Amino acid sequence: MPSELTVPPAAEVDEGAYAVLRDLVGDGHVIALTGAGMSTGSGIPDYRGPDGQRRVQPMLHGEFVRSAEGRKRYWARAYAGWERFSAARPNAAHEAVADLQHAGLIRAIITQNVDGLHQEAGSHDVLELHGNLAHATCLDCGEPTTREQINQWLALANPGYLDRAGSTGEVQPDGDVLLPEDLVTSFRAPRCLVCGNDRLKPDVVFFGGSVDKPVVETAFALVESASLLLVLGSSLRVMSGYRFVRRAARLDIPVAVVTRGATRGEGEPIVQLDSLLTDVLPRLVTDLKGG
């Protein structure tokens, strides 16, 4: 999947900070917390640019749950964007995290991403904080389904739709694209194959929604067991991820951050690199496991 982003030039890696990071990761017992910056190199954009400003307006949980029109608009856009979104492949940063995990340095990964690219790169023990777009559930009867099954239904219900949509718009972080209103109006939204209702929701946490309590508790337990919390590709602007940084700092667990641009961290990180992940993580693999 080709990138549709304009990536700013990479800043030079701060060698002093890199040396501290290398030593911390080399000690092992690392829990990685990954954000959207992990997948921008795979062509999946972030909600925010390096300046921290939100680039796109995401689907809101309340709108999706309450509004049939909101669900229709989401699925119309998501169906049009799915082929490009699902074509994304792991980049060098995903592969480096998997290598560090296989070397026994990273114990587990807490990811805010919904693309499944960590697992595709070979990582294990991946806790998906915000879910995964490849699955969906009916909000009325609880029937689970897959995105593949939904797309098969949509293809039958909306013949020629993808041809009319073409490659309109940039793929958004949730896998959808912006479409002309006439394409949304004519779209037939998916229905549950069991109860027939139209309240099929992808198994992801939309903005304004809440992460399931057991998932949060598992994430906190992972953080509390770490010798280092390594934040990769996250601005920490959203409390969903920032709360784990705060918990680590409260317990005197070191926090290291590698991302482009400023972060929300208020003094918690003991080391922070304003760098591209692909400039730092493969180098860590080479330095810590010899290639």
Side-chain angles (χ1 to χ4, degrees):
M1 177 179 177
S3 174
E4 299 178 354
L5 295 175
T6 301
V7 179
E12 290 188 13
V13 175
D14 181 328
E15 292 300 327
Y18 174 79
V20 174
L21 174 70
R22 180 194 59 218
D23 292 345
L24 287 168
V25 175
D27 289 338
H29 301 287
V30 177
I31 298 298
L33 172 64
T34 68
M38 177 64 65
S39 295
T40 54
S42 299
I44 299 174
D46 195 350
Y47 283 109
R48 304 175 190 272
D51 59 0
Q53 298 301 309
R54 184 176 291 173
R55 301 172 58 251
V56 296
Q57 176 59 48
M59 169 55 68
L60 301 178
H61 176 82
E63 180 184 11
F64 188 94
V65 170
R66 292 190 297 266
S67 168
E69 286 302 312
R71 292 190 292 276
K72 179 178 179 180
R73 185 171 63 256
Y74 170 80
W75 282 113
R77 295 175 174 180
Y79 181 48
W82 179 250
E83 183 175 353
R84 282 182 283 165
F85 183 87
S86 61
R89 292 297 175 260
N91 61 59
H94 294 106
E95 292 166 357
V97 168
D99 285 342
L100 292 170
Q101 190 176 35
H102 295 158
L105 299 174
I106 293 178
R107 291 180 48 241
I109 300 159
I110 303 167
T111 185
Q112 297 171 277
N113 299 337
V114 296
D115 50 41
L117 292 180
H118 276 302
Q119 296 92 320
E120 191 172 336
S123 285
H124 54 85
D125 294 322
V126 179
L127 181 65
E128 293 177 312
L129 200 62
H130 295 157
N132 192 305
L133 278 175
H135 306 280
T137 302
C138 176
L139 294 177
D140 291 325
C141 73
E143 178 69 14
T145 187
T146 66
R147 192 62 170 263
E148 182 179 358
Q149 290 173 309
I150 290 174
N151 281 0
Q152 290 173 356
W153 189 97
L154 291 175
L156 293 173
N158 299 278
Y161 178 83
L162 293 181
D163 290 335
R164 295 194 299 276
S167 57
T168 303
E170 178 186 6
V171 175
Q172 307 297 312
D174 282 336
D176 54 340
V177 297
L178 299 180
L179 293 174
E181 190 59 33
D182 62 306
L183 282 176
V184 175
T185 301
S186 63
F187 185 76
R188 293 183 63 195
R191 291 185 172 275
C192 176
L193 295 179
V194 173
C195 71
N197 292 336
D198 74 340
R199 294 190 356 120
L200 278 175
K201 179 182 176 296
D203 289 347
V204 298
V205 179
F206 288 134
F207 272 73
S210 299
V211 180
D212 288 344
K213 187 175 180 180
V215 175
V216 175
E217 291 174 345
T218 299
F220 275 131
L222 288 172
V223 170
E224 291 165 2
S225 72
S227 294
L228 171 71
L229 178 61
L230 177 60
V231 180
L232 301 173
S234 175
S235 66
L236 301 174
R237 302 278 178 179
V238 179
M239 183 57 73
S240 177
Y242 183 47
R243 57 183 156 184
F244 302 115
V245 171
R246 295 180 66 180
R247 176 65 63 89
R250 191 176 304 126
L251 297 174
D252 293 324
I253 296 169
V255 176
V257 178
V258 184
T259 195
R260 287 306 315 273
T263 69
R264 185 183 183 183
E266 298 172 353
E268 292 97 343
I270 66 168
V271 60
Q272 184 164 335
L273 277 75
D274 181 358
S275 303
L276 292 173
L277 297 177
T278 49
D279 287 342
V280 174
L281 295 179
R283 182 178 171 186
L284 279 177
V285 173
T286 300
D287 288 349
L288 294 175
K289 60 176 294 234

